């Protein structure tokens, strides 16, 4: 994987465009940063509900509440790592571009390398799993120190919720991509298509 830091996101036209096959179908998804953010918030709600139910059931609410500010600070500091984890799971031969936008309060990565449905879903899930759900569950169930446990839970809650855009992408891929299809980005938009005989083997991994 080759990660290229492109800096500040300035316009949709400046994003790299991929060469798409003629049979490529655009995902049904928001067409702007604002639309992406607003739609992604809908996917944050069930994640937050499940986590707060677990906190209530297993007695973590009090510890979490004392450290939610710490959790937010830690989760924000780990945003670049979140994006780097995405990049790692794009494939060993993928060229990945990283951008940030203070205006839209986000960082993001994109690659023009085609991916299978399974790889795309795993790539989307991994940062929220590693930086969100794993520290949350560790703090709730196995951490011997209440203070450390509270910090882990709080960081985990914010880390998981910040992946709301990734849950949206996973949902779109799961619902819209047929079996055996590949997905590819071009600019800000995602497409799926059925592979042809000359599709690179790396894209089918």
């Amino acid at each position: 994987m080759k990660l290229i830091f492109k800096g500040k996101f300035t316009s949709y036209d400046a994003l790299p465009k991929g060469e798409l096959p003629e049979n490529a179908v655009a995902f049904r998804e928001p067409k702007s940063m604002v639309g992406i953010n607003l739609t992604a918030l809908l996917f944050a709600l069930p994640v937050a509900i499940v986590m707060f139910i677990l906190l209530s059931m297993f007695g973590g609410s009090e510890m979490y509440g004392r450290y939610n500010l710490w959790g937010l600070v830690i989760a924000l500091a780990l945003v670049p790592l979140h994006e780097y984890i995405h990049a790692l799971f794009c494939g060993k031969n993928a060229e990945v571009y990283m951008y940030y936008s203070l205006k839209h309060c986000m960082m993001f990565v994109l690659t023009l390398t085609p991916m299978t449905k399974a790889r795309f879903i795993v790539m989307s899930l991994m940062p929220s799993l590693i930086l969100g759900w794993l520290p949350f569950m560790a703090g709730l169930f196995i951490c011997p120190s209440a203070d450390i446990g509270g910090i882990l839970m709080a960081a985990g809650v914010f880390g998981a919720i910040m992946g709301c855009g990734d849950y949206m992408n996973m949902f779109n891929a799961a619902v819209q991509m047929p079996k055996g299809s590949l997905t590819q980005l071009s600019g800000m938009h995602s497409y799926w298509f059925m592979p042809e005989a000359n599709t690179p083997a790396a894209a089918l991994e």
Side-chain angles (χ1 to χ4, degrees):
M1 184 274 296
K2 180 180 180 181
L3 182 63
I4 302 171
F5 182 67
K6 301 291 285 187
K8 184 179 179 180
F9 167 74
T10 55
S11 72
Y12 302 110
D13 293 335
L15 296 175
K17 309 295 191 299
E19 293 186 11
L20 297 166
E22 292 182 1
N23 65 341
V25 178
F27 274 40
R28 299 185 299 276
E29 61 184 359
K31 303 303 182 185
S32 68
M33 286 286 193
V34 174
I36 290 172
N37 286 341
L38 291 177
T39 305
L41 288 176
L42 298 177
F43 288 84
L45 185 59
V47 173
I49 290 173
V50 169
M51 286 185 147
F52 284 110
I53 289 174
L54 291 172
L55 285 169
S56 299
M57 288 177 59
F58 296 100
S61 299
E62 182 179 348
M63 285 189 293
Y64 161 79
R66 292 204 303 266
Y67 294 103
N68 53 12
L69 181 58
W70 275 104
L72 177 60
V73 171
I74 292 171
L76 288 173
L78 293 177
V79 166
L81 179 58
H82 178 114
E83 299 305 324
Y84 185 72
I85 294 171
H86 279 313
L88 285 177
F89 283 88
C90 285
K92 63 181 180 180
N93 297 317
E95 192 170 82
V96 185
Y97 307 95
M98 179 181 287
Y99 295 83
Y100 73 90
S101 174
L102 297 179
K103 177 181 177 180
H104 299 98
C105 301
M106 65 189 303
M107 287 188 76
F108 63 93
V109 294
L110 64 86
T111 179
L112 304 182
T113 302
M115 282 182 269
T116 62
K117 182 176 181 177
R119 176 180 284 278
F120 183 79
I121 289 174
V122 170
M123 179 275 297
S124 299
L125 175 64
M126 278 300 162
S128 295
L129 175 63
I130 295 171
L131 302 179
W133 285 96
L134 288 183
F136 174 78
M137 299 301 282
L140 187 59
F141 293 116
I142 64 176
C143 191
S145 165
D147 290 335
I148 296 175
I151 292 172
L152 285 173
M153 282 186 285
V157 167
F158 286 107
I161 290 175
M162 285 180 179
C164 56
D166 303 326
Y167 305 137
M168 177 185 69
N169 291 334
M170 290 169 54
F171 176 82
N172 287 339
V175 171
Q176 299 182 41
M177 290 181 67
K179 183 178 180 180
S181 62
L182 300 177
T183 182
Q184 182 179 336
L185 279 167
S186 182
M188 276 300 297
H189 305 305
S190 303
Y191 300 81
W192 66 263
F193 57 91
M194 300 306 297
E196 299 176 352
N198 59 351
T199 300
L204 301 176
E205 294 177 353

